[in-house]
Amino acid sequence: MASGCYFPSLVREVEIPKKDGKKRKLGIPTIADRIAQQVVKSYLEPRLEKVFDCRSYGYRPLKSTHQAVEEVRQNVRRYDWVIDLDIKGFFDNVSHGLLIKALDRHVEEKWVKMYVQRWLEVPIELAEKLNPQLRGWFTYYGKFRKWELDRVARRFHFRLVKWACSKYKRFRKSKAKAYQWLKQVRDEKPHLFYHWKLGYKTM
């Protein structure tokens, strides 16, 4: 991993039902990605543990819900009020730029920060930005010039390949590999881009 050759795979996204009837999106990494994340975690955790509050129990080693409950029991004997806060969709809306800035304060290894950045830049985010425009194109022109939309899809895929070639070093010398990667994205996440849902998948 220190060489920079590892590239994360696409994250499989599933929806988990919530008690209120809504659904929460959950990303499922591949086994290889999970191992890589554990490697980075082993570097980050000892340092970040030092800056956590001693009364923080979420997602921390050697901390449990039972300890958190015991902390609450001690607190209710001293206080007669409680503040309950929840950040809606935190992981979906948190600024990636702020995350990287926070990481810069505690981590010196460039390869660690590089991989965190790569994990944040999965194609899901790109699709969320482009799908509203794609939806407008294919909905409007599908009524009048449907036969032209195959050409639009191919042009869009060409632009995606150019984006991948400039974004990922492994594709800069081979557009063929970039197209192969895009086809893998399409096969693994056939509903990622709006026009893929409609069947416009020609590369």
Side-chain angles (χ1 to χ4, degrees):
M1 289 183 67
S3 68
C5 295
Y6 160 74
F7 282 84
S9 303
L10 292 174
V11 177
R12 181 184 178 187
E13 194 175 72
V14 296
E15 292 184 335
I16 306 298
K18 300 171 66 175
K19 293 181 179 179
D20 58 4
K22 298 180 181 179
K23 294 183 178 180
R24 179 171 62 90
K25 292 182 179 180
L26 180 67
I28 303 177
T30 64
I31 294 177
D33 289 340
R34 187 59 177 160
I35 293 173
Q37 290 167 8
Q38 286 295 118
V39 172
V40 172
K41 179 175 178 286
S42 68
Y43 273 82
L44 295 179
E45 197 167 68
R47 302 175 210 183
L48 299 183
E49 271 295 300
K50 298 176 182 178
V51 300
F52 272 94
D53 189 281
C54 62
R55 291 156 294 189
S56 175
Y57 292 91
Y59 303 102
R60 295 183 64 190
L62 305 178
K63 298 282 188 177
S64 68
T65 54
H66 297 291
Q67 291 174 320
V69 170
E70 182 59 33
E71 181 80 24
V72 171
R73 285 176 178 170
Q74 297 296 327
N75 288 337
V76 296
R77 294 173 182 173
R78 292 179 289 174
Y79 308 105
D80 58 358
W81 51 269
V82 63
I83 299 177
D84 185 19
L85 298 175
D86 181 34
I87 302 176
K88 182 179 179 181
F90 174 78
F91 292 106
D92 296 326
N93 300 299
V94 65
S95 169
H96 291 173
L98 291 178
L99 282 177
I100 296 300
K101 284 184 179 180
L103 199 62
D104 285 336
R105 294 188 59 183
H106 304 283
V107 180
E108 295 181 358
E109 290 86 351
K110 293 182 179 180
W111 67 271
V112 172
K113 291 185 283 187
M114 177 185 66
Y115 286 128
V116 172
Q117 186 79 45
R118 286 181 183 177
W119 283 319
L120 293 173
E121 294 175 346
V122 292
I124 292 175
E125 185 176 336
L126 181 65
E128 289 176 351
K129 293 179 180 180
L130 296 178
N131 274 337
Q133 188 173 359
L134 289 170
R135 186 181 297 108
W137 289 348
F138 282 82
T139 300
Y140 179 79
Y141 290 105
K143 298 177 182 178
F144 309 105
R145 301 179 68 86
K146 192 173 182 179
W147 61 90
E148 294 283 356
L149 292 179
D150 275 326
R151 184 184 301 178
V152 173
R154 284 194 294 269
R155 182 65 181 173
F156 177 75
H157 296 151
F158 173 75
R159 296 297 299 177
L160 277 180
V161 166
K162 288 193 67 175
W163 170 84
C165 289
S166 63
K167 192 72 172 177
Y168 301 113
K169 188 176 181 179
R170 59 174 170 163
F171 297 141
R172 288 175 187 171
K173 295 182 180 180
S174 176
K175 284 188 177 180
K177 289 184 178 179
Y179 269 107
Q180 186 177 1
W181 168 81
L182 185 58
K183 289 178 181 178
Q184 180 185 353
V185 174
R186 180 196 63 192
D187 294 340
E188 292 181 359
K189 301 186 74 65
H191 300 292
L192 183 62
F193 290 103
Y194 179 77
H195 64 295
W196 288 356
K197 301 177 184 179
L198 305 179
Y200 295 95
K201 299 180 180 181
T202 304
M203 294 293 174

